[in-house]
């Protein structure tokens, strides 16, 4: 059993963990930083997901780091390009040398006597390792890596074709000339359908209910023109600022005028379908942005539908048959391959448990302070991104706040800080309560809670978070320091 000590220990070497480490390298160069990563390489989601067409569902100018802007004209980048961007960023700040790969963290225990965390992890040979740290940062995302969510499909064992979840796409899988059914209507499903349709005999997207779909250009034509007359750094900085403003405008408009936004979105779909599918299959029963808006590049989903390479069914699975699916309506779908693009299993801190002086702390019962720290848990931050904008926008703000907090602690000789909420502050709402997606509703008990007011509420509003995390003083009566 090995043991190492760090000033700051980061759990996870994905987009959030690499970003946190880079911010520490810039703002706190004297800190000894370590990263524990359960996989054999960096990248997190973008190293795990290898399904056809995998790409971002947010524009890359806002999905990229603020300190290292995305400098290509591609708006929605594919998985390999994003993974390269993460690795290149890590290389620029020498982050990989900080990572201990193949380490699955299982428990973290805080000691008030020593003002330190002891983190337990197991390597790939199931050997236990312990690490101590003054400050702990969770950058593990919000879903379980081991297994995606698959409903309990009746008769699945009878199906004689191939059944797969996108989270675990086989490297040798072939779909050329085959009939494929993709179950789902979220970002993964609408990415898979046009990608598979290029080689498959036919792809059917089977959805329980429709979602909103917005087509955007795959290439930023405005930035392409500006590059002829302005420096590259200026152009990409402007592109980021412009797209942040557009994201916020779209979301605020959806919240204020949901009927108008619904009409605009459906008008765009009607135009792009051009009669290739029923508008009813793209007309959700909920208001825009009550669930995440799905984005496709250059009409690729609609092109596949118009070409007859793909189709959409709105129905539910009654049971699997040896040759496909029996639907609740009585219809049948024949399939050689069924892809269950049915979402994630939520998981906080990668499944790691916590205790403070021997007392267990369940993140699903704790409030978050400014969306970063955990109520009553000393020297610990958990980085969560936005649900209504690019994930990275929020985690980058949170990372900068952590750096500010560490500098404040060092300047004042403070060894431990922990936010303390007043009695009756907690509500039943989780931090992702504004998003009523199926995976959130299934696993919301695992997510930290919302408070009744600031700083215990998660606003999901970039303009507010910039002020709260970057400009407001660290000193706060509810932030207990010793």
């Amino acid at each position: 059993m090995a043991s190492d000590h760090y000033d700051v220990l980061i759990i996870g070497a994905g987009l959030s963990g690499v970003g946190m480490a880079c911010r520490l390298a810039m703002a706190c160069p004297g800190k000894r930083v370590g990263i524990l990563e359960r996989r054999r390489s960096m990248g997190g989601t973008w190293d795990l997901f290898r399904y056809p067409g995998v790409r971002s569902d947010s524009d890359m100018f806002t999905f990229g780091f603020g300190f290292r802007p995305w400098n290509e004209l591609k708006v929605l980048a594919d998985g390999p390009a994003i993974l390269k961007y993460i690795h290149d960023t890590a290389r620029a700040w020498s982050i990989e040398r900080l990572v201990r790969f193949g380490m699955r963290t299982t428990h973290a225990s805080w000691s008030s006597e020593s003002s330190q965390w002891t983190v337990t992890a197991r390597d790939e040979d199931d050997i236990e390792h312990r690490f101590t740290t003054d400050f702990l940062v969770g950058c593990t995302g919000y879903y379980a890596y081991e297994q995606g969510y698959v409903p309990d499909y009746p008769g699945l064992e009878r199906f004689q074709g191939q059944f797969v979840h996108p989270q675990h796409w086989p490297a040798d899988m072939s779909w050329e000339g085959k009939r494929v059914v993709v179950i789902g209507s979220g970002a993964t499903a609408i990415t898979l359908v046009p990608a598979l349709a290029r080689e498959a005999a036919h792809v059917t997207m089977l959805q329980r209910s429709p979602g909103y779909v917005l087509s955007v250009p795959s290439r930023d034509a405005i930035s392409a023109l500006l590059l002829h007359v302005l420096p590259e750094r200026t152009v990409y900085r402007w592109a980021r600022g412009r797209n942040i403003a557009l994201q916020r405008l779209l979301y605020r408009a959806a919240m204020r005028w949901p009927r108008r936004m619904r009409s605009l979105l459906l008008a765009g779909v009607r135009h792009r379908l051009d009669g290739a599918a029923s508008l009813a299959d793209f007309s959700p029963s909920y208001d825009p942005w009550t669930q995440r808006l799905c984005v496709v590049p250059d009409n690729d989903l609609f092109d596949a539908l118009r070409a007859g390479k793909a189709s959409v069914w709105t129905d539910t699975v009654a049971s699997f048959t040896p040759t496909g699916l029996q639907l609740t309506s009585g219809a049948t779908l024949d399939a050689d391959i069924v892809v269950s693009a049915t979402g994630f299993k939520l998981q906080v801190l990668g499944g790691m448990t916590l205790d403070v002086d021997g007392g267990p702390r369940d993140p699903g019962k704790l409030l978050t302070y400014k969306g970063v720290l955990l109520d009553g848990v000393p020297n610990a931050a958990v980085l969560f991104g936005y649900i209504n904008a690019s994930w990275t926008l929020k985690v980058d703000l949170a990372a900068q706040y952590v750096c500010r907090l560490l500098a404040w602690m060092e300047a004042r000789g403070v060894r431990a800080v922990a936010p303390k909420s007043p009695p009756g502050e907690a509500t039943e709402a989780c931090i992702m309560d504004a998003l009523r997606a199926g995976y959130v509703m299934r696993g919301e008990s695992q997510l930290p809670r919302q408070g009744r007011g600031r700083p215990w509420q998660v606003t999901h509003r970039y303009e507010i978070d910039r002020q709260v995390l970057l400009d407001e003083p660290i000193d706060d009566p509810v932030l207990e320091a010793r």
Side-chain angles (χ1 to χ4, degrees):
M1 182 171 65
S3 180
D4 292 288
H5 179 76
Y6 299 95
D7 297 320
V8 183
L9 185 60
I10 299 167
I11 311 300
L15 192 73
S16 304
V18 168
M20 181 73 249
C22 290
R23 284 293 183 185
L24 285 167
M26 289 181 276
C28 308
K31 299 288 186 186
R32 187 180 184 212
V33 177
I35 306 174
L36 301 183
E37 168 56 49
R38 70 170 60 196
R39 297 173 61 77
R40 294 304 307 167
S41 60
M42 292 185 298
T45 293
W46 304 103
D47 181 62
L48 174 69
F49 285 175
R50 303 296 177 96
Y51 60 82
V54 59
R55 56 172 169 75
S56 67
D57 65 346
S58 301
D59 78 276
M60 286 304 300
F61 297 112
T62 61
F63 194 70
F65 297 115
F67 58 85
R68 187 174 181 268
W70 178 256
N71 60 355
E72 297 182 27
L73 295 173
K74 187 181 293 185
V75 177
L76 301 179
D78 57 41
I82 298 172
L83 187 60
K84 180 179 183 301
Y85 172 76
I86 295 172
H87 279 263
D88 288 347
T89 302
R91 190 176 302 111
W93 275 269
S94 302
I95 300 304
E96 189 166 6
R97 63 183 176 82
L98 308 177
V99 185
R100 294 285 296 270
F101 291 105
M103 290 287 175
R104 179 176 59 88
T105 53
T106 58
H107 186 71
S109 179
W110 170 261
S111 167
S112 294
E113 183 178 354
S114 63
S115 294
Q116 286 183 351
W117 287 97
T118 298
V119 177
T120 304
R122 290 191 173 275
D123 64 22
E124 293 168 320
D125 296 320
D126 204 33
I127 297 173
E128 185 176 278
H129 299 255
R130 288 186 181 174
F131 306 87
T132 57
T133 184
D134 299 330
F135 203 98
L136 184 66
V137 186
C139 296
T140 58
Y142 60 92
Y143 68 89
Y145 274 40
E146 289 83 358
Q147 186 179 9
Y149 173 71
V150 177
D152 186 14
Y153 293 119
L156 177 58
E157 71 283 353
R158 294 185 293 161
F159 181 53
Q160 295 175 1
Q162 197 166 3
F163 179 86
V164 63
H165 190 285
Q167 194 166 319
H168 306 284
W169 195 269
D172 60 351
M173 188 166 177
S174 173
W175 55 94
E176 184 177 357
K178 296 183 178 180
R179 299 162 300 176
V180 183
V181 173
V182 177
I183 304 175
S185 60
T188 303
I190 66 166
T191 299
L192 274 165
V193 169
L196 295 173
R198 297 187 189 107
E199 297 179 2
H202 189 80
V203 181
T204 302
M205 186 171 83
L206 174 62
Q207 59 181 11
R208 181 179 55 193
S209 58
Y212 290 102
V213 180
L214 174 67
S215 180
V216 300
S218 64
R219 186 173 181 271
D220 188 341
I222 296 175
S223 293
L225 288 173
L226 291 175
L227 284 171
H228 292 294
V229 294
L230 293 172
E232 181 178 281
R233 183 179 179 85
T234 300
V235 171
Y236 291 125
R237 189 184 301 276
W238 282 4
R240 178 179 170 84
R242 177 195 67 210
N243 286 7
I244 289 174
L246 285 172
Q247 281 183 1
R248 301 308 307 148
L249 180 62
L250 178 63
Y251 182 74
R252 288 199 299 268
M255 296 299 101
R256 185 170 182 179
W257 303 294
R259 290 185 179 179
R260 293 183 185 178
M261 287 302 298
R262 175 184 172 86
S263 296
L264 284 173
L265 289 169
L266 294 186
V269 170
R270 183 186 297 109
H271 171 71
R272 288 170 174 83
L273 283 175
D274 195 25
S278 170
L279 185 62
D281 290 321
F282 291 88
S283 301
S285 59
Y286 55 87
D287 289 335
W289 270 117
T290 357
Q291 295 190 31
R292 194 172 175 93
L293 189 69
C294 290
V295 180
V296 300
D298 289 338
N299 305 310
D300 66 353
L301 175 66
F302 303 111
D303 288 347
L305 293 171
R306 288 199 307 270
K309 295 286 291 179
S311 56
V312 179
W313 279 72
T314 302
D315 209 331
T316 54
V317 178
S319 68
F320 273 72
T321 69
T323 59
L325 299 166
Q326 178 78 41
L327 307 182
T328 303
S329 64
T332 60
L333 291 176
D334 291 332
D336 303 302
I337 300 171
V338 174
V339 183
S340 187
T342 42
F344 312 117
K345 289 185 176 180
L346 287 189
Q347 186 180 70
V348 178
L349 292 173
M352 178 176 69
T353 54
L354 299 175
D355 78 69
V356 174
D357 295 326
R361 294 291 188 272
D362 179 358
K365 296 180 180 177
L366 301 177
L367 295 174
T368 61
Y369 170 82
K370 297 188 175 182
V372 182
L373 308 182
L374 292 174
D375 184 18
V377 180
N379 290 19
V382 181
L383 272 54
F384 281 100
Y386 285 125
I387 59 173
N388 58 2
S390 293
W391 174 269
T392 327
L393 283 178
K394 175 61 182 293
V395 296
D396 193 35
L397 293 178
Q400 292 175 80
Y401 173 79
V402 170
C403 293
R404 292 182 63 216
L405 176 62
L406 290 170
W408 178 87
M409 292 173 66
E410 184 171 350
R412 289 159 180 76
V414 171
R415 297 188 66 193
V417 293
K420 181 64 176 175
S421 66
E425 180 66 35
T427 70
E428 291 300 315
C430 74
I431 60 171
M432 296 174 69
D433 185 64
L435 186 67
R436 302 316 294 161
Y439 65 89
V440 175
M441 298 175 71
R442 286 191 304 270
E444 61 183 351
S445 63
Q446 298 188 50
L447 295 170
R449 302 293 96 188
Q450 292 264 22
R452 300 183 186 280
R454 292 178 59 188
W456 309 102
Q457 283 183 334
V458 178
T459 67
H460 294 290
R461 293 178 63 181
Y462 178 74
E463 59 275 15
I464 292 177
D465 288 334
R466 274 192 62 89
Q467 177 184 353
V468 168
L469 297 175
L470 302 188
D471 299 331
E472 286 187 0
I474 296 295
D475 271 312
D476 189 333
V478 304
L479 194 61
E480 298 180 349
R482 65 174 181 83

